[in-house]
Amino acid sequence: MWTYDRKLQYPVKIKTPNHNLASIIISQLGGPDGELAASMRYLNQRYSMPYGEVTGILTDVGTEELAHLEMVGAILYQLTRDLSPDEIAGTPFATYFVDHTVGVYPVSASGQKARVTYDNIIRLCDDPDVLDPIRYLREREIVHYQRFGDALRIATDHMNEKNFYAINPSYDQ
Amino acid sequence: MTNRRFAPAFSGNDQASLTRRLQAIDFAIQDTVLYLDAYPDDADALDYYRSLIEARAGLLAARSKEMPLTVYDNTGTDWDWVKAPWPWQPEAN
Ligand SMILES: [Fe+2]
């Protein structure tokens, strides 16, 4: 269980957008040695760890890496926030822009993939002690998917407002 | 770790200042927590940890009035949780 703190671990306040810099930093987000990989590695190493101190460190460092992930996200966001699609086109950052600014569908879809993965686990698993929490997690994915549906509806409601990317007619004529 | 004391480097009671003050003390706590994970029997470090937690309580209450820190802190009459600025926005830092 985690609780979100509505603050960065360390302030990020970037005045000048710079997509080239962003394209260099982005590997720290989801790259093979990025913050996300680090967090997952530490947090997943905890379970069979026999030493409480190390379990504590893995837990607390793994959690802190998530704070770092958010800081990298903030850095990337602030580095690219005022760039127009024209300014981004032709830069190394263009592919990231394409992947991450299309709206809530991809997020929603990843929840669906997680749910399908739980479906497969449930098919392969016959231990009720395992199935029970797995079913709970699968239920949560469904709830998340429902909330993403709500998010999509909210996004759609705002579609005619300025600066909304998904299928804003002013961009896709 | 012997007889350390946390010396606040920031002041002010607006939302940004309170956030900065909380970031500072939470960083001290995080560092102390990682140290205590590795050295759980260090009595001085534990004393320091307790003093930090005590100092944090008042700060958390003050910051929560401006903007909840967690979903457990939305103490105002409105659902401030969804209000800007968000942590990654420059205005929040
Ligand atoms: Fe990190």
Side-chain angles (χ1 to χ4, degrees):
Chain A
M1 176 65 189
W2 274 263
T3 302
Y4 180 62
D5 275 14
R6 239 193 95 138
K7 65 167 167 53
L8 294 182
Q9 190 183 29
Y10 191 86
V12 174
K13 201 179 180 75
I14 296 167
K15 286 186 196 69
T16 314
N18 181 337
H19 54 76
N20 285 318
L21 201 50
S23 70
I24 291 162
I25 292 168
I26 195 150
S27 178
Q28 290 303 311
L29 194 71
D33 298 311
E35 297 291 353
L36 181 64
S39 178
M40 295 303 101
R41 196 157 48 241
Y42 298 138
L43 294 177
N44 287 321
Q45 281 169 342
R46 295 177 301 156
Y47 300 106
S48 57
M49 178 54 62
Y51 312 115
E53 290 92 333
V54 182
T55 310
I57 288 168
L58 288 169
T59 299
D60 298 329
V61 173
T63 299
E64 185 174 350
E65 299 294 9
L66 293 174
H68 299 171
L69 185 76
E70 186 185 35
M71 287 176 58
V72 174
I75 290 165
L76 294 170
Y77 163 66
Q78 292 185 25
L79 280 174
T80 58
R81 76 197 120 110
D82 291 331
L83 297 171
S84 71
D86 279 352
E87 286 172 299
I88 286 175
T91 72
F93 207 67
T95 48
Y96 178 81
F97 181 80
V98 167
D99 280 349
H100 291 81
T101 55
V102 291
V104 293
Y105 277 116
V107 181
S108 187
S110 71
Q112 276 298 80
K113 281 183 208 156
R115 201 260 305 156
V116 170
T117 305
Y118 283 129
D119 284 347
N120 292 335
I121 292 167
I122 287 167
R123 274 187 206 102
L124 295 168
C125 178
D126 56 6
D127 183 343
D129 291 343
V130 180
L131 277 171
D132 188 56
I134 291 287
R135 286 206 178 95
Y136 174 84
L137 291 169
R138 181 186 175 278
E139 285 302 309
R140 296 309 300 160
E141 293 300 337
I142 292 168
V143 172
H144 292 172
Y145 191 67
Q146 288 171 336
R147 293 290 82 80
F148 281 124
D150 291 344
L152 183 61
R153 178 182 53 74
I154 291 162
T156 309
D157 288 347
H158 287 89
M159 200 73 75
N160 291 325
E161 294 181 17
K162 60 176 180 172
N163 199 28
F164 199 91
Y165 293 113
I167 44 170
N168 188 324
S170 71
Y171 287 107
D172 298 307
Q173 285 172 355
Chain B
M1 205 181 261
T2 51
N3 296 320
R4 280 175 194 277
R5 275 191 53 197
F6 180 73
F10 304 101
S11 56
N13 287 303
D14 57 293
Q15 189 177 315
S17 300
L18 288 165
T19 299
R20 185 63 55 94
R21 291 166 68 188
L22 205 54
Q23 280 167 330
I25 200 159
D26 281 359
F27 181 75
I29 291 170
Q30 170 70 8
D31 223 25
T32 308
V33 164
L34 296 182
Y35 177 87
L36 278 166
D37 286 344
Y39 303 94
D41 299 326
D42 189 319
D44 288 340
L46 200 55
D47 278 346
Y48 182 53
Y49 168 81
R50 279 194 280 260
S51 74
L52 288 169
I53 294 298
E54 201 180 302
R56 185 183 192 269
L59 209 47
L60 176 65
R63 152 70 200 249
S64 299
K65 279 184 201 142
E66 302 293 324
M67 173 61 76
L69 184 70
T70 73
V71 287
Y72 304 103
D73 308 314
N74 201 112
T75 49
T77 51
D78 295 341
W79 188 241
D80 293 328
W81 184 252
V82 295
K83 289 181 183 164
W86 290 90
W88 51 87
Q89 295 174 329
E91 301 77 39
N93 290 283

